[in-house]
Amino acid sequence: MKSARPRTVGALLVALALLVMFALAACGETKNSSDTGSSTQSQQGASSTASGANPDAPIKKGLKTVSIPKQLGNPYEEYEHSGIDEALKELGGSNRITGPTDAGASTQIPIINAAVQQKPNAIIIAGNDPNAVAPALKQAAQRGVKIVGMDSDVAPEARSVFINQVTTQLVGEGQVKSIAKEIGNKGQIAILSATANATNQNAWIKVMKEELKKPEYKDIKLVKVAYGDDDDQKSFQQTQGLIQAYPNLKGIISPTTVGVAAAARYLSTSPQKGKIKLTGLGFPNQMRKFVKNGTVDEFQLWVPKDVGYLAGQAAAALVSGRITGKEGEKFKAGRLGDYTIGPNGEIVLGPLTTFTKDNIDKFDF
Amino acid sequence: VQAETITSPDAPPVAGAASPRDWRRVLGRWETLLIALLAVLAVVGQLISPEFLTTDSFTTGSLDLSEIALMALPLAMVIVAAEIDLSVASVLALSSALMAYLWNHGQPVETIIPICLIAGAVCGAFNGVLVTRFGLPSLAVTIGTLALFRGLAFVVIGDDSVTDFPVTWTDRAFGNFAGTFVPNTIVLFAVLAAAFAVLLHATPFGRSVFAIGANQEAAYFSGLRVKRIKLILFTLSGAVAALAGVVITLRNSTGAANVGQGFELSAVTAVLLGGVSIFGGRGTIAGVILALFLLGGIQKALLLSESISSYWIQIVTGALLVGSVLGPNLARRVAGARRRSRSQQEEDS
């Protein structure tokens, strides 16, 4: 412990820095230089699905799949993944659900790697981050594991097909149709959205506005888009505000689960209960009492379990060679019927499911 | 079992001939215990899944742990000096976010990496200045900067993630070294581990770190520049955490502010499980490396099991953390009690 210390430390620090620099030796690409990855990567991905599909191939026996939610302990996702279990059981196979305990960008990678070692036929994944999981999924695909994206997509070159619960177009169309039916195609309506910059909300609202231009909706007038910020209290107050500001308001669309529940809660205790119609995207468990007490006639959403079920069926079809993931290929998805693969390997579950007092008790989510 | 096999180095020599004493010393080393635990893990892991003892497990398991492994090296030195740095995972995230930001603004990766390392060093130095110049406890300071740096990361890049890093770089971070099954990131770790082992165990600087950890007052009065050394340690910790941030960004080809949440827990666990005393003054880099193998192995075994939920990884990590602090403590108490009873007997006779 003499005075040579600082020099030694300095030398070591410099050495460390140099080592790091050498270990990560250079070649000078920037974002703007032409070749940034995805192009070369997609070529690799495409070649693995080159062989043709045989729609009549028998379903492989004893199918084993692993499904990876974004995070364990989320009731919505558990319900969604129970659909995969159902599909696999129906086809004589089995599914195992395994996932990370938090939804960080890279937390699914160890799970994928371990799943691959167990040699399943397919992995069904709802990606936390589309690209972080891509290298691990591509490696899995190289070892013959089929990859199905579900719910939130992963990089297209890292999976064969993606099960989309709904499209923007279908949400916009479905919601307008629902409110038009409730108010008899006539009168003022308002939209209670989440935040003003929520991408999905704004895309849906844009479609709704396009829809309202159609001749059959000519007597419906959209008077206001209000924002409840996906906050229960604020959505409640915004509903109140809408009703005070527009005495002739006939209906409200709230395409957010928080908003529609708050609006229903306000309406259920107001004199306008049953007079002002409400629809939106909601969870049956949150909306059940408002449907039963007459506040809400109907609302919509996709059925998460069906998303999983379709993913399970698609995985089985992929493994058995009935589909390869190319656009235009068709397959039969058990109780849900026939599906066609769309552009970019996307399979859309279908139009929104409408929940009314007649069918709501069949759903528990 | 633990209490018997671990005797702290400062315990008085046990009566008996010279050779059994040496034998006992080897047995009593924490590293020996870790090797024994690794052997047990190998058997248990193989029982859980026949896939456990494969090169595949090593490749993916070590890749998954590479950032934590990198961060554990300087953290071990910080803890030997009787301080702690809980902000490492947040520095990693800030580095990842910064990388994403700079890449989006047209910088080449070759420029981004040194900038990230410098930014990490600045973060570390910030911790170091608060601890050494303002005399604040590092536990409080780094819990604060844990939140602060993570928050900054979100300010830099928001909820976005940037993903179009060049393949040459992402392949480097994801790939294996020269056709072997050893990931490149682990080669990087090995190089740094060797450097840190030399720094801690074979330089005057390393000796002074031990001296500070064992008794800061004494170290100060024997002329060591305590504050300066600690400042260097925190700076190193920040820089290496930023390097880990670069690695995780390229390895996942994703720069985002939410990466590595909770990594500080795993890194601290690796260090303490590696036999570094939480009270400072004791520990080896070799022990930390063994502990990393143990942690990675346990994680892999749990993941490979078809019936154990991944919640158990957290439970086991937590239990190991408590156990590795409790173990030596109990051992010391037992040794102390024995010593007392022995001196009692001698007085009686």
Side-chain angles (χ1 to χ4, degrees), chain B residues 60 151 183 272 333:
Chain B
T60 56
L272 298 186
R333 282 182 186 216

Side-chain angles (χ1 to χ4, degrees), chain A residues 1-2 4-6 8-9 12-13 16-17 19-21 23-33 35-38 40-41 44 64 71-74 96 98-107 109-111 113-119 129-136 139 143, chain B residues 51 54 56-57 60 64 103-104 106-110 113-114 117 161-170 172 174 188 191-192 195-196 199 203-205 207-208 211 223-225 228-229 232 236 243 248 251-254 256 258-261 299-300 303-306 309-311 314:
Chain A
M1 284 176 240
K2 299 269 161 56
R5 196 188 326 116
T8 326
V9 176
L12 266 166
L13 283 177
L16 269 181
L19 270 175
V20 170
M21 305 298 260
L24 305 165
C27 64
E29 279 177 273
T30 68
K31 189 183 181 73
N32 303 328
S33 61
D35 178 36
T36 53
S38 44
T40 40
Q41 285 181 339
Q44 291 172 0
K64 251 178 72 184
Q71 179 173 17
L72 290 180
N74 174 334
R96 192 168 70 87
T98 169
T101 49
D102 74 272
S106 58
T107 51
I109 297 168
I111 310 275
N113 287 336
V116 172
Q117 285 185 270
Q118 288 157 347
K119 305 185 176 67
D129 183 287
N131 291 284
V133 292
Q139 242 180 22
R143 298 189 180 189
Chain B
E51 283 294 319
T54 56
D56 232 19
S57 286
T60 56
D64 291 338
W103 176 251
N104 261 356
Q107 297 298 317
V109 176
E110 293 73 23
I113 292 174
L117 296 188
S161 61
V162 171
T163 55
D164 51 354
F165 295 101
V167 182
T168 39
W169 279 97
T170 53
R172 246 171 238 169
F174 184 72
L188 174 66
V191 170
L192 279 187
F196 272 94
L199 183 61
T203 64
F205 180 80
R207 293 313 303 165
S208 32
L224 289 181
R225 302 175 72 170
R228 182 181 166 147
I229 290 168
I232 292 173
L236 262 181
L243 175 66
I248 200 168
R251 176 166 81 83
N252 298 342
S253 47
T254 301
N258 70 351
V259 290
Q261 279 174 31
Q299 186 176 332
K300 194 60 169 185
L303 282 172
L304 280 178
S305 145
E306 305 235 341
S309 147
S310 44
Y311 286 120
Q314 281 182 319

Side-chain angles (χ1 to χ4, degrees), chain B residues 27-327:
Chain B
L27 257 194
R29 285 191 71 91
W30 188 259
E31 286 81 359
T32 317
L33 175 71
L34 290 176
I35 291 169
L37 286 176
L38 275 171
V40 173
L41 175 66
V43 175
V44 175
Q46 196 65 12
L47 287 176
I48 287 179
S49 164
E51 283 294 319
F52 182 67
L53 291 178
T54 56
T55 55
D56 232 19
S57 286
F58 178 81
T59 307
T60 56
S62 64
L63 198 59
D64 291 338
L65 210 67
S66 39
E67 295 82 23
I68 288 162
L70 287 171
M71 293 192 296
L73 292 170
L75 188 60
M77 291 189 72
V78 170
I79 296 180
V80 166
E83 298 288 349
I84 195 149
D85 185 355
L86 295 178
S87 70
V88 283
S90 299
V91 174
L92 169 142
L94 182 56
S95 164
S96 181
L98 191 60
M99 216 175 159
Y101 177 86
L102 292 171
W103 176 251
N104 261 356
H105 286 73
Q107 297 298 317
V109 176
E110 293 73 23
T111 319
I112 296 174
I113 292 174
I115 295 176
C116 284
L117 296 188
I118 291 166
V122 170
C123 289
F126 180 72
N127 283 332
V129 166
L130 287 179
V131 171
T132 58
R133 305 295 154 183
F134 293 87
L136 305 174
S138 54
L139 184 68
V141 167
T142 58
I143 284 181
T145 52
L146 178 154
L148 180 75
F149 296 150
R150 177 75 67 176
L152 268 180
F154 277 102
V155 169
V156 169
I157 187 76
D159 283 332
D160 287 348
S161 61
V162 171
T163 55
D164 51 354
F165 295 101
V167 182
T168 39
W169 279 97
T170 53
D171 279 356
R172 246 171 238 169
F174 184 72
N176 290 347
F177 184 71
T180 61
F181 62 87
V182 182
N184 283 328
T185 57
I186 294 307
V187 175
L188 174 66
F189 167 75
V191 170
L192 279 187
F196 272 94
V198 169
L199 183 61
L200 183 61
H201 299 299
T203 64
F205 180 80
R207 293 313 303 165
S208 32
V209 171
F210 278 107
I212 291 169
N215 188 336
Q216 181 168 321
E217 296 278 285
Y220 178 76
F221 284 114
S222 47
L224 289 181
R225 302 175 72 170
V226 174
K227 288 180 177 178
R228 182 181 166 147
I229 290 168
K230 282 187 178 176
L231 182 61
I232 292 173
L233 291 182
F234 278 105
T235 309
L236 262 181
S237 177
V240 175
L243 175 66
V246 169
V247 168
I248 200 168
T249 305
L250 293 176
R251 176 166 81 83
N252 298 342
S253 47
T254 301
N258 70 351
V259 290
Q261 279 174 31
F263 275 18
E264 65 279 333
L265 174 70
S266 303
V268 171
T269 306
V271 172
L272 298 186
L273 182 62
V276 176
S277 165
I278 187 75
F279 306 108
R282 211 177 313 143
T284 62
I285 295 292
V288 174
I289 296 170
L290 287 173
L292 283 164
F293 269 98
L294 200 55
L295 267 185
I298 291 171
Q299 186 176 332
K300 194 60 169 185
L302 291 177
L303 282 172
L304 280 178
S305 145
E306 305 235 341
S307 51
I308 305 174
S309 147
S310 44
Y311 286 120
W312 279 95
I313 295 176
Q314 281 182 319
I315 295 171
V316 170
T317 309
L320 283 175
L321 182 60
V322 174
S324 49
V325 179
L326 192 66

